[in-house]
Amino acid sequence: VGTELWSAAVSAAPETAGPDALFGALRAAAGALPGFLHDLLRLEHRLWLLRARSADVPASVDSLTVNPTVTVEAMSWRGLPGLLDPEADAATVPVEGPEHVLLWIDPQEKRVRVKAAANDDLLALKIAAEDIALETVAAEGGIPVGAIDNLIDHAARQGLLLAPASKLRRDPSIFTARRKSDEEFLVSDSFTLQWHITQVCDLHCKHCYDRSDR
């Protein structure tokens, strides 16, 4: 809308004005506006309100939990998150059509994040919110439980879900983290075991990395 028009509209609007009032002031001053502007103002307003909620994210949880800052917004235009991402393609143009947008505070980086909601994201949120057994979801969808595990893990890595810390940790009296990046080498989400059954293996399996001379 241009810096001059934007500044004039903001100055004329009350301090407590929400996106509707600001959109009305802009439309009164400019007349024709981009069709997606109203949704964009709503989205930016939600992001602004969300920035004050970083303290709402708990430092740890005892069970899989939905990030309490997660908000789902229904939009009438698709592609709006791309306008708010500094790394997105500058040529991104919103397209009219329904889309749900997720907003939340990243528990690791403590910053606000926004993205178009994928079906997997919404399913992960539903599973955690309603405490649905993964086996039930897998059976209804006709897919392996491992696929649901991966879906939940991806949502937790994004910060949409909060997962309890793994109890599989190296002995802290022997191994300590000297840098922040060392943490990934000290903890594991799963326990693994190598079992070498006999000494008659010819070591010819393509996937084998055992190079002992026994």
Side-chain angles (χ1 to χ4, degrees):
V1 297
T3 303
E4 185 176 345
L5 176 59
W6 176 263
S7 299
V10 171
S11 299
E15 289 186 8
T16 57
D20 294 340
L22 187 55
F23 179 74
L26 287 168
R27 185 168 53 183
L33 293 171
F36 60 81
L37 183 60
H38 188 225
D39 272 5
L40 182 60
L41 288 172
R42 285 177 49 218
L43 195 56
E44 290 187 318
H45 186 242
R46 285 293 186 184
L47 287 170
W48 179 73
L49 293 174
L50 192 58
R51 289 190 179 96
R53 296 187 55 197
S54 58
D56 291 351
V57 182
S60 62
V61 293
D62 295 326
S63 60
L64 189 67
T65 307
V66 174
N67 184 329
T69 65
V70 169
T71 303
V72 183
E73 292 292 332
M75 296 290 159
S76 301
W77 289 76
R78 298 194 297 269
L80 293 179
L83 298 179
L84 304 174
D85 184 357
E87 299 179 1
D89 184 354
T92 299
V93 178
V95 178
E96 191 168 7
E99 182 173 69
H100 284 87
V101 175
L102 291 171
L103 305 91
W104 74 101
I105 293 178
D106 188 314
Q108 299 297 324
E109 300 183 11
K110 302 299 182 184
R111 68 181 180 91
V112 174
R113 296 187 61 185
V114 56
K115 63 169 288 190
N119 288 336
D120 283 357
D121 299 325
L122 297 175
L123 178 57
L125 291 170
K126 179 180 177 66
I127 290 171
E130 300 180 13
D131 194 22
I132 305 174
L134 303 190
E135 292 79 7
T136 300
V137 179
E140 290 182 358
I143 56 178
V145 176
I148 304 299
D149 268 330
N150 290 338
L151 181 149
I152 294 294
D153 182 64
H154 182 63
R157 291 181 186 278
Q158 293 183 91
L160 292 170
L161 300 180
L162 306 179
S166 173
K167 295 181 180 179
L168 295 174
R169 300 189 63 88
R170 291 184 181 273
D171 187 341
S173 66
I174 302 174
F175 302 96
T176 56
R178 299 183 182 277
R179 299 165 299 180
K180 187 176 181 180
S181 59
D182 290 343
E183 180 66 16
E184 65 177 299
F185 302 108
L186 303 179
V187 63
S188 176
D189 293 328
S190 59
F191 181 79
T192 59
L193 174 69
Q194 288 190 23
W195 194 357
H196 297 252
I197 300 175
T198 72
Q199 299 296 335
V200 297
C201 175
D202 59 9
L203 302 179
H204 282 183
C205 290
K206 290 183 178 180
H207 63 268
C208 182
Y209 52 85
D210 187 342
R211 294 296 177 263
S212 63
D213 56 5
R214 296 185 294 145

Coordinates of all heavy atoms in Angstrom, one line a residue, residues 14-91:
P14 N -7.1 4.2 16.2 CA -6.8 4.2 17.6 C -5.7 3.2 18.0 O -5.4 2.3 17.2 CB -8.1 3.6 18.2 CG -9.1 3.8 17.1 CD -8.4 3.7 15.8
E15 N -5.0 3.4 19.1 CA -3.9 2.6 19.5 C -4.3 1.1 19.7 O -3.5 0.2 19.5 CB -3.3 3.1 20.9 CG -2.5 4.4 20.7 CD -1.9 4.8 22.0 OE1 -1.8 4.0 22.9 OE2 -1.3 6.0 22.0
T16 N -5.6 0.9 20.1 CA -6.0 -0.4 20.4 C -6.7 -1.0 19.1 O -7.3 -2.1 19.2 CB -7.0 -0.5 21.5 OG1 -8.1 0.5 21.2 CG2 -6.4 0.0 22.8
A17 N -6.6 -0.4 18.0 CA -7.3 -0.9 16.8 C -6.8 -2.2 16.4 O -5.6 -2.5 16.4 CB -7.0 0.1 15.6
G18 N -7.7 -3.1 16.0 CA -7.3 -4.4 15.5 C -7.2 -4.4 14.0 O -7.3 -3.3 13.4
P19 N -7.0 -5.5 13.4 CA -6.8 -5.6 12.0 C -8.0 -5.1 11.2 O -7.9 -4.5 10.1 CB -6.6 -7.1 11.7 CG -7.1 -7.8 12.9 CD -6.9 -6.8 14.0
D20 N -9.3 -5.3 11.7 CA -10.4 -4.8 11.0 C -10.5 -3.3 10.8 O -10.7 -2.8 9.8 CB -11.7 -5.3 11.7 CG -11.9 -6.8 11.7 OD1 -11.2 -7.4 10.8 OD2 -12.6 -7.4 12.5
A21 N -10.2 -2.6 12.0 CA -10.2 -1.2 11.9 C -9.1 -0.6 11.0 O -9.3 0.4 10.3 CB -10.0 -0.6 13.4
L22 N -7.9 -1.2 11.1 CA -6.8 -0.8 10.2 C -7.1 -1.0 8.7 O -6.8 -0.1 7.9 CB -5.5 -1.5 10.6 CG -4.2 -1.0 9.9 CD1 -4.0 0.5 10.1 CD2 -3.0 -1.8 10.5
F23 N -7.7 -2.1 8.4 CA -8.1 -2.4 7.1 C -9.1 -1.4 6.6 O -9.1 -0.9 5.4 CB -8.7 -3.8 6.9 CG -9.1 -4.2 5.5 CD1 -8.2 -4.4 4.6 CD2 -10.5 -4.2 5.2 CE1 -8.6 -4.8 3.3 CE2 -10.9 -4.5 3.9 CZ -9.9 -4.8 2.9
G24 N -10.1 -1.0 7.5 CA -11.1 0.0 7.1 C -10.5 1.3 6.8 O -10.9 2.0 5.9
A25 N -9.5 1.7 7.6 CA -8.8 3.0 7.4 C -8.0 3.0 6.1 O -8.1 4.0 5.4 CB -7.9 3.3 8.6
L26 N -7.4 1.9 5.8 CA -6.7 1.8 4.5 C -7.6 1.8 3.3 O -7.3 2.5 2.3 CB -5.8 0.5 4.5 CG -4.6 0.5 5.4 CD1 -4.1 -1.0 5.5 CD2 -3.5 1.4 4.9
R27 N -8.7 1.1 3.4 CA -9.7 1.1 2.3 C -10.3 2.5 2.1 O -10.5 2.9 1.0 CB -10.7 0.0 2.6 CG -11.7 -0.1 1.4 CD -12.5 -1.4 1.6 NE -13.2 -1.4 2.9 CZ -14.0 -2.4 3.3 NH1 -14.1 -3.5 2.6 NH2 -14.6 -2.3 4.5
A28 N -10.6 3.2 3.2 CA -11.1 4.5 3.1 C -10.2 5.5 2.4 O -10.6 6.4 1.6 CB -11.5 5.0 4.4
A29 N -8.9 5.3 2.6 CA -7.9 6.2 2.1 C -7.5 5.8 0.7 O -7.2 6.7 -0.2 CB -6.7 6.3 3.0
A30 N -7.4 4.5 0.4 CA -6.9 4.1 -0.9 C -7.9 3.6 -1.9 O -7.7 3.5 -3.1 CB -5.8 3.0 -0.6
G31 N -9.1 3.1 -1.3 CA -10.1 2.5 -2.2 C -9.7 1.1 -2.6 O -9.9 0.2 -1.8
A32 N -9.1 0.9 -3.8 CA -8.7 -0.5 -4.2 C -7.5 -1.0 -3.5 O -6.5 -0.3 -3.4 CB -8.5 -0.4 -5.7
L33 N -7.7 -2.2 -2.9 CA -6.6 -2.8 -2.1 C -6.4 -4.2 -2.6 O -7.4 -4.8 -3.1 CB -6.9 -2.7 -0.6 CG -6.9 -1.4 0.0 CD1 -7.4 -1.5 1.5 CD2 -5.5 -0.8 0.1
P34 N -5.2 -4.8 -2.4 CA -5.1 -6.3 -2.7 C -6.1 -7.1 -1.9 O -6.4 -6.8 -0.7 CB -3.7 -6.6 -2.2 CG -2.9 -5.3 -2.2 CD -4.0 -4.2 -1.9
G35 N -6.7 -8.1 -2.6 CA -7.8 -8.8 -2.0 C -7.3 -9.6 -0.7 O -8.1 -9.8 0.2
F36 N -6.0 -9.9 -0.7 CA -5.6 -10.7 0.5 C -5.1 -9.8 1.7 O -4.7 -10.4 2.7 CB -4.4 -11.6 0.0 CG -3.2 -10.8 -0.5 CD1 -2.3 -10.2 0.4 CD2 -3.0 -10.6 -1.8 CE1 -1.2 -9.4 -0.1 CE2 -1.9 -9.9 -2.3 CZ -1.0 -9.3 -1.5
L37 N -5.2 -8.5 1.5 CA -4.7 -7.6 2.6 C -5.3 -7.8 3.9 O -4.7 -7.8 5.0 CB -4.8 -6.2 2.2 CG -4.2 -5.2 3.1 CD1 -2.7 -5.4 3.3 CD2 -4.3 -3.7 2.7
H38 N -6.7 -8.0 3.9 CA -7.4 -8.2 5.2 C -6.9 -9.4 6.0 O -6.6 -9.4 7.2 CB -8.9 -8.3 5.0 CG -9.7 -8.2 6.3 ND1 -10.7 -9.1 6.5 CD2 -9.6 -7.5 7.4 CE1 -11.2 -8.9 7.7 NE2 -10.5 -7.9 8.3
D39 N -6.7 -10.5 5.3 CA -6.2 -11.8 5.9 C -4.8 -11.6 6.4 O -4.4 -12.1 7.4 CB -6.3 -12.9 4.9 CG -7.6 -13.7 5.0 OD1 -8.5 -13.2 5.7 OD2 -7.8 -14.7 4.3
L40 N -4.0 -10.9 5.6 CA -2.6 -10.6 5.9 C -2.5 -9.8 7.2 O -1.7 -10.0 8.1 CB -1.9 -9.9 4.8 CG -0.4 -9.6 5.0 CD1 0.4 -11.0 5.2 CD2 0.2 -8.9 3.8
L41 N -3.4 -8.8 7.3 CA -3.4 -8.0 8.6 C -3.8 -8.8 9.8 O -3.2 -8.7 10.8 CB -4.4 -6.8 8.4 CG -3.9 -5.7 7.5 CD1 -5.1 -4.7 7.3 CD2 -2.7 -4.9 8.0
R42 N -4.8 -9.7 9.6 CA -5.2 -10.6 10.7 C -4.0 -11.5 11.1 O -3.8 -11.7 12.3 CB -6.3 -11.5 10.2 CG -7.7 -10.8 10.1 CD -8.7 -11.7 9.6 NE -8.7 -13.0 10.3 CZ -8.9 -14.2 9.7 NH1 -9.1 -14.3 8.4 NH2 -8.8 -15.3 10.4
L43 N -3.3 -12.0 10.1 CA -2.2 -12.9 10.4 C -1.0 -12.2 11.1 O -0.5 -12.7 12.1 CB -1.7 -13.5 9.1 CG -0.7 -14.7 9.2 CD1 -1.4 -15.8 10.0 CD2 -0.4 -15.2 7.8
E44 N -0.7 -11.0 10.7 CA 0.4 -10.2 11.3 C -0.1 -9.8 12.8 O 0.8 -9.8 13.7 CB 0.7 -8.9 10.5 CG 1.4 -9.3 9.2 CD 1.8 -8.0 8.5 OE1 1.1 -7.0 8.4 OE2 3.0 -8.0 8.0
H45 N -1.3 -9.5 13.0 CA -1.8 -9.1 14.3 C -1.7 -10.3 15.2 O -1.3 -10.2 16.4 CB -3.3 -8.7 14.2 CG -3.8 -8.2 15.5 ND1 -4.9 -8.7 16.1 CD2 -3.5 -7.1 16.3 CE1 -5.2 -8.1 17.2 NE2 -4.3 -7.1 17.3
R46 N -2.0 -11.5 14.8 CA -1.9 -12.7 15.6 C -0.4 -13.0 15.9 O -0.1 -13.4 17.1 CB -2.5 -13.9 14.8 CG -4.0 -14.0 14.8 CD -4.5 -14.3 16.1 NE -6.0 -14.5 16.1 CZ -6.7 -14.6 17.2 NH1 -6.1 -14.6 18.4 NH2 -8.0 -14.8 17.1
L47 N 0.5 -12.8 15.0 CA 1.9 -13.0 15.2 C 2.4 -12.0 16.3 O 3.2 -12.3 17.2 CB 2.7 -12.8 14.0 CG 2.6 -13.9 12.9 CD1 3.2 -13.5 11.6 CD2 3.3 -15.1 13.4
W48 N 1.9 -10.8 16.2 CA 2.3 -9.7 17.2 C 1.8 -10.1 18.6 O 2.6 -10.0 19.6 CB 1.7 -8.4 16.7 CG 2.0 -7.3 17.7 CD1 3.2 -6.6 17.8 CD2 1.1 -6.6 18.6 NE1 3.1 -5.7 18.8 CE2 1.8 -5.6 19.3 CE3 -0.3 -6.8 18.9 CZ2 1.2 -4.8 20.3 CZ3 -0.8 -6.0 19.8 CH2 -0.1 -5.0 20.5
L49 N 0.6 -10.6 18.7 CA 0.1 -11.0 20.0 C 0.8 -12.2 20.5 O 1.1 -12.3 21.7 CB -1.4 -11.4 19.9 CG -2.4 -10.2 19.6 CD1 -3.8 -10.7 19.4 CD2 -2.4 -9.2 20.7
L50 N 1.2 -13.1 19.6 CA 1.9 -14.3 20.0 C 3.3 -14.1 20.6 O 3.8 -14.8 21.5 CB 2.0 -15.3 18.8 CG 2.4 -16.7 19.1 CD1 1.4 -17.4 20.1 CD2 2.5 -17.5 17.8
R51 N 4.0 -13.0 20.2 CA 5.3 -12.8 20.6 C 5.4 -12.6 22.2 O 6.5 -12.7 22.7 CB 5.9 -11.6 19.9 CG 6.2 -11.8 18.5 CD 7.0 -10.7 17.8 NE 7.3 -11.0 16.4 CZ 6.5 -10.5 15.4 NH1 5.5 -9.8 15.6 NH2 6.8 -10.8 14.2
A52 N 4.3 -12.2 22.8 CA 4.3 -12.0 24.2 C 4.1 -13.2 25.0 O 4.1 -13.2 26.2 CB 3.2 -10.9 24.6
R53 N 4.0 -14.4 24.3 CA 3.6 -15.6 25.0 C 4.7 -16.6 25.1 O 4.5 -17.8 25.4 CB 2.4 -16.3 24.3 CG 1.1 -15.5 24.3 CD 0.0 -16.3 23.8 NE -0.2 -17.6 24.5 CZ -0.8 -18.6 24.0 NH1 -1.4 -18.5 22.8 NH2 -1.0 -19.7 24.7
S54 N 6.0 -16.2 25.0 CA 7.1 -17.1 25.0 C 7.2 -17.8 26.4 O 7.6 -19.0 26.5 CB 8.4 -16.4 24.7 OG 8.6 -15.4 25.7
A55 N 6.8 -17.2 27.4 CA 6.8 -17.8 28.8 C 5.8 -18.9 28.9 O 5.9 -19.7 29.9 CB 6.6 -16.7 29.8
D56 N 4.9 -19.0 28.0 CA 3.8 -20.1 28.1 C 4.4 -21.5 27.7 O 3.7 -22.5 27.9 CB 2.6 -19.7 27.2 CG 1.9 -18.5 27.7 OD1 2.2 -18.1 28.8 OD2 1.0 -18.0 27.0
V57 N 5.5 -21.5 27.1 CA 6.1 -22.8 26.6 C 6.9 -23.4 27.8 O 7.9 -22.8 28.2 CB 7.0 -22.6 25.4 CG1 7.5 -24.0 24.9 CG2 6.3 -21.9 24.3
P58 N 6.4 -24.5 28.3 CA 7.1 -25.1 29.5 C 8.5 -25.7 29.1 O 8.7 -26.1 27.9 CB 6.2 -26.3 29.9 CG 5.4 -26.6 28.7 CD 5.3 -25.3 27.9
A59 N 9.4 -25.6 30.0 CA 10.8 -26.1 29.8 C 10.9 -27.6 29.6 O 11.7 -28.1 28.8 CB 11.7 -25.7 30.9
S60 N 9.9 -28.3 30.2 CA 9.9 -29.8 30.0 C 8.5 -30.3 30.2 O 7.7 -29.6 30.9 CB 10.9 -30.5 31.0 OG 10.4 -30.2 32.4
V61 N 8.2 -31.5 29.7 CA 6.9 -32.1 29.8 C 7.1 -33.6 30.2 O 8.1 -34.2 29.9 CB 6.1 -32.0 28.6 CG1 5.7 -30.5 28.3 CG2 6.8 -32.6 27.4
D62 N 6.0 -34.2 30.8 CA 6.1 -35.6 31.2 C 5.5 -36.5 30.1 O 5.8 -37.7 30.2 CB 5.4 -35.8 32.5 CG 6.0 -35.0 33.7 OD1 7.3 -34.9 33.7 OD2 5.3 -34.6 34.6
S63 N 4.7 -35.9 29.2 CA 4.2 -36.7 28.1 C 4.0 -35.9 26.9 O 4.1 -34.6 27.0 CB 2.8 -37.3 28.6 OG 1.9 -36.2 28.9
L64 N 3.7 -36.5 25.8 CA 3.5 -35.8 24.5 C 2.4 -34.8 24.7 O 1.3 -35.1 25.1 CB 3.2 -36.8 23.4 CG 3.2 -36.2 22.0 CD1 4.6 -35.8 21.6 CD2 2.6 -37.2 21.0
T65 N 2.7 -33.5 24.4 CA 1.8 -32.4 24.6 C 1.8 -31.4 23.5 O 2.8 -31.2 22.8 CB 2.2 -31.6 25.9 OG1 2.3 -32.5 27.0 CG2 1.2 -30.6 26.3
V66 N 0.6 -30.9 23.2 CA 0.5 -29.8 22.2 C 1.2 -28.6 22.7 O 0.9 -28.2 23.9 CB -0.9 -29.5 21.8 CG1 -1.0 -28.4 20.8 CG2 -1.5 -30.8 21.1
N67 N 2.0 -27.9 21.9 CA 2.6 -26.7 22.3 C 1.5 -25.7 22.6 O 0.6 -25.4 21.8 CB 3.5 -26.1 21.2 CG 4.2 -24.8 21.5 OD1 3.8 -24.0 22.3 ND2 5.4 -24.6 20.9
P68 N 1.4 -25.1 23.9 CA 0.3 -24.3 24.3 C 0.2 -23.0 23.5 O -0.9 -22.3 23.5 CB 0.6 -24.0 25.8 CG 2.0 -24.2 25.9 CD 2.4 -25.3 25.0
T69 N 1.2 -22.6 22.7 CA 1.1 -21.4 21.9 C 0.6 -21.7 20.5 O 0.4 -20.7 19.7 CB 2.5 -20.7 21.8 OG1 3.4 -21.6 21.1 CG2 3.1 -20.4 23.2
V70 N 0.4 -22.9 20.1 CA -0.1 -23.2 18.8 C -1.5 -22.6 18.5 O -2.4 -22.8 19.3 CB -0.1 -24.7 18.5 CG1 -0.9 -25.1 17.2 CG2 1.3 -25.3 18.5
T71 N -1.6 -21.9 17.4 CA -2.9 -21.3 17.0 C -3.1 -21.7 15.5 O -2.2 -21.7 14.7 CB -2.8 -19.8 17.1 OG1 -2.5 -19.4 18.4 CG2 -4.2 -19.2 16.7
V72 N -4.4 -22.1 15.2 CA -4.7 -22.4 13.9 C -5.7 -21.3 13.4 O -6.7 -21.1 14.0 CB -5.4 -23.8 13.8 CG1 -5.8 -24.1 12.3 CG2 -4.6 -24.9 14.4
E73 N -5.3 -20.7 12.3 CA -6.1 -19.6 11.7 C -6.6 -20.0 10.4 O -5.9 -20.5 9.5 CB -5.3 -18.3 11.6 CG -4.9 -17.7 12.9 CD -6.0 -17.1 13.7 OE1 -7.0 -16.7 13.0 OE2 -6.0 -17.0 14.9
A74 N -7.9 -19.8 10.1 CA -8.5 -20.1 8.8 C -8.4 -18.9 8.0 O -8.9 -17.8 8.4 CB -10.0 -20.5 9.0
M75 N -7.8 -19.0 6.8 CA -7.6 -17.9 5.9 C -8.4 -18.1 4.6 O -8.7 -19.3 4.2 CB -6.1 -17.7 5.5 CG -5.3 -17.4 6.7 SD -5.6 -15.7 7.3 CE -5.0 -15.7 9.0
S76 N -8.7 -17.0 3.9 CA -9.4 -17.1 2.6 C -8.5 -17.1 1.4 O -8.9 -17.1 0.3 CB -10.5 -16.0 2.5 OG -11.4 -16.0 3.6
W77 N -7.2 -16.9 1.8 CA -6.2 -16.8 0.7 C -5.0 -17.8 1.1 O -4.7 -17.9 2.2 CB -5.6 -15.4 0.6 CG -6.6 -14.5 0.0 CD1 -7.6 -13.9 0.6 CD2 -6.6 -14.0 -1.4 NE1 -8.3 -13.1 -0.3 CE2 -7.7 -13.1 -1.5 CE3 -5.7 -14.2 -2.5 CZ2 -8.0 -12.4 -2.7 CZ3 -6.0 -13.5 -3.7 CH2 -7.1 -12.7 -3.8
R78 N -4.5 -18.5 0.0 CA -3.4 -19.4 0.2 C -2.0 -18.7 -0.1 O -2.0 -17.9 -1.0 CB -3.5 -20.6 -0.7 CG -4.8 -21.4 -0.4 CD -4.7 -22.8 -1.0 NE -4.6 -22.7 -2.5 CZ -5.7 -22.7 -3.3 NH1 -6.9 -22.8 -2.8 NH2 -5.6 -22.6 -4.6
G79 N -1.0 -19.0 0.7 CA 0.3 -18.5 0.4 C 0.7 -17.3 1.2 O 1.8 -16.8 1.0
L80 N -0.1 -16.9 2.2 CA 0.2 -15.7 3.0 C 1.5 -15.9 3.9 O 2.3 -15.0 4.0 CB -0.9 -15.4 3.9 CG -2.2 -14.8 3.2 CD1 -3.3 -14.5 4.1 CD2 -1.9 -13.6 2.3
P81 N 1.8 -17.1 4.4 CA 3.0 -17.3 5.2 C 4.2 -17.0 4.4 O 5.2 -16.5 5.0 CB 2.9 -18.8 5.6 CG 1.5 -19.1 5.7 CD 0.9 -18.4 4.5
G82 N 4.2 -17.2 3.1 CA 5.4 -16.9 2.3 C 5.7 -15.4 2.3 O 6.9 -15.0 2.1
L83 N 4.7 -14.5 2.5 CA 4.9 -13.1 2.5 C 5.6 -12.6 3.8 O 6.2 -11.6 3.9 CB 3.6 -12.3 2.4 CG 2.8 -12.5 1.1 CD1 1.5 -11.7 1.1 CD2 3.7 -12.2 -0.1
L84 N 5.6 -13.5 4.8 CA 6.1 -13.2 6.1 C 7.5 -13.8 6.3 O 8.1 -13.6 7.4 CB 5.2 -13.6 7.2 CG 3.8 -13.0 7.1 CD1 2.9 -13.5 8.2 CD2 3.8 -11.4 7.3
D85 N 7.9 -14.7 5.4 CA 9.2 -15.4 5.5 C 10.3 -14.7 4.7 O 10.2 -14.6 3.5 CB 9.0 -16.8 5.0 CG 10.3 -17.7 5.1 OD1 11.3 -17.1 5.6 OD2 10.2 -18.9 4.8
P86 N 11.3 -14.1 5.4 CA 12.3 -13.4 4.7 C 13.1 -14.2 3.7 O 13.8 -13.7 2.8 CB 13.2 -12.9 5.9 CG 13.0 -13.8 7.0 CD 11.5 -14.2 6.9
E87 N 13.1 -15.6 3.9 CA 13.8 -16.4 3.0 C 13.0 -17.0 1.8 O 13.5 -17.7 1.0 CB 14.4 -17.6 3.8 CG 15.4 -17.2 4.9 CD 16.0 -18.3 5.6 OE1 15.6 -19.5 5.3 OE2 16.8 -18.1 6.5
A88 N 11.7 -16.6 1.8 CA 10.8 -17.1 0.8 C 11.1 -16.4 -0.6 O 11.7 -15.3 -0.6 CB 9.3 -16.9 1.2
D89 N 10.6 -17.0 -1.6 CA 10.7 -16.4 -3.0 C 10.0 -15.0 -3.0 O 8.8 -14.9 -2.7 CB 10.1 -17.4 -4.0 CG 10.3 -16.9 -5.4 OD1 10.8 -15.7 -5.6 OD2 9.9 -17.6 -6.4
A90 N 10.7 -14.0 -3.4 CA 10.1 -12.7 -3.5 C 8.9 -12.6 -4.4 O 8.1 -11.7 -4.4 CB 11.2 -11.6 -3.9
A91 N 8.9 -13.5 -5.4 CA 7.8 -13.5 -6.4 C 6.5 -14.2 -5.9 O 5.6 -14.3 -6.7 CB 8.3 -14.1 -7.7

